[in-house]
């Protein structure tokens, strides 16, 4: 009697301790996973993130638009990569500003459109002459992103003309999707 009762109590204690240990390990794994996820969205951890600025067709070389886009983004503390497409007619002053703000400049090469219903002298961007200019921004952005070695984190594609940043798009408080 007493020995078998003692053995069963000892076995129960061992099982409880084992279950507690498993539970602690599971909780620790969950905490570590949450911490890694949380750290990814901290303001100081945006170095692998990318913002791609696409110019509008009508104001593709207006320096004020580019300064507002890039300046507002850098002012939020964003330290990641900025890639911006510009027309070849963009002024030297704007190019110097973009370089000073650590922007990767991608020159857009206008070419004659080749798609079926293209109007005479309608311009598209190389190498996507078979796609309307407004639509070619997206495959161009994909090309720029895949050719960027530092661009391995999250990415945002935005219109340079229509975007002003108030917060770091990859900083603390970013909505979890």
């Amino acid at each position: 009697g007493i020995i078998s009762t003692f053995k069963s109590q000892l076995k129960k204690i061992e099982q409880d301790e084992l279950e507690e240990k498993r539970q602690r390990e599971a909780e620790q794994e969950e905490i570590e996973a949450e911490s890694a996820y949380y750290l990814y969205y901290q303001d100081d951890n945006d170095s692998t993130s990318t913002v791609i600025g696409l110019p509008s067709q009508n104001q593709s070389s207006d320096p004020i638009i580019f300064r507002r886009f890039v300046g507002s983004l850098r002012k939020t503390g964003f330290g990641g990569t900025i890639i911006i497409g510009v027309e070849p007619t963009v002024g030297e002053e704007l190019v110097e500003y973009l370089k000073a703000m650590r922007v990767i400049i991608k020159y857009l090469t206008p070419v004659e459109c080749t798609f079926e219903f293209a109007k005479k002298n309608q311009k598209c961007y190389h190498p996507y002459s078979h796609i309307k200019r407004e639509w070619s921004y997206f495959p161009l952005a994909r090309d720029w992103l895949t050719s960027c070695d530092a661009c391995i984190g999250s990415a945002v594609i935005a219109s340079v003309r229509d975007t002003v940043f108030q917060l770091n798009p990859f900083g603390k408080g970013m909505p979890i999707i």
Side-chain angles (χ1 to χ4, degrees):
I2 294 177
I3 294 178
S4 67
T5 303
F6 179 73
K7 284 182 179 179
S8 71
Q9 288 177 342
L10 189 59
K11 189 171 186 170
K12 173 76 170 127
I13 291 171
E14 288 174 350
Q15 288 174 342
D16 289 348
E17 287 176 350
L18 184 59
E19 182 59 34
E20 271 184 42
K21 182 181 176 187
R22 287 182 187 144
Q23 193 171 15
R24 280 194 310 272
E25 288 173 353
E27 287 172 359
Q28 185 62 32
E29 286 177 13
E30 188 175 322
I31 289 169
E32 288 173 8
E34 286 177 5
S35 295
Y37 187 72
Y38 179 72
L39 289 174
Y40 186 78
Y41 290 101
Q42 291 296 314
D43 286 317
D44 60 352
N45 194 20
D46 60 7
S47 61
T48 61
S49 299
T50 307
V51 173
I52 299 176
L54 303 175
S56 69
Q57 194 171 338
N58 300 331
Q59 298 175 329
S60 56
S61 61
D62 184 348
I64 292 170
I65 291 170
F66 287 91
R67 285 177 179 268
R68 185 177 57 218
F69 182 87
V70 174
S72 67
L73 180 56
R74 288 293 186 214
K75 192 169 183 163
T76 68
F78 178 70
T81 303
I82 302 174
I83 302 172
I84 292 188
V86 298
E87 292 274 345
T89 57
V90 70
E92 189 59 37
E93 182 182 328
L94 178 57
V95 170
E96 291 305 314
Y97 171 78
L98 294 174
K99 286 180 181 178
M101 296 299 277
R102 301 180 329 274
V103 173
I104 297 173
I105 302 169
K106 296 293 187 174
Y107 289 95
L108 301 166
T109 308
V111 295
E112 195 77 27
C113 293
T114 60
F115 60 89
E116 185 178 352
F117 298 105
K119 297 175 184 166
K120 186 175 183 178
N121 296 324
Q122 185 174 353
K123 296 297 178 190
C124 291
Y125 289 126
H126 176 76
Y128 299 104
S129 62
H130 61 287
I131 302 173
K132 286 184 175 182
R133 184 178 358 198
E134 301 82 21
W135 298 347
S136 68
Y137 291 133
F138 299 100
L140 285 166
R142 178 207 54 215
D143 295 347
W144 301 338
L145 194 57
T146 56
S147 69
C148 174
D149 292 335
C151 306
I152 58 173
S154 298
V156 167
I157 299 174
S159 164
V160 172
R161 183 187 71 189
D162 301 327
T163 306
V164 175
F165 293 92
Q166 297 178 347
L167 295 172
N168 182 338
F170 303 101
K172 186 176 181 180
M174 176 184 162
I176 297 173
I177 300 172

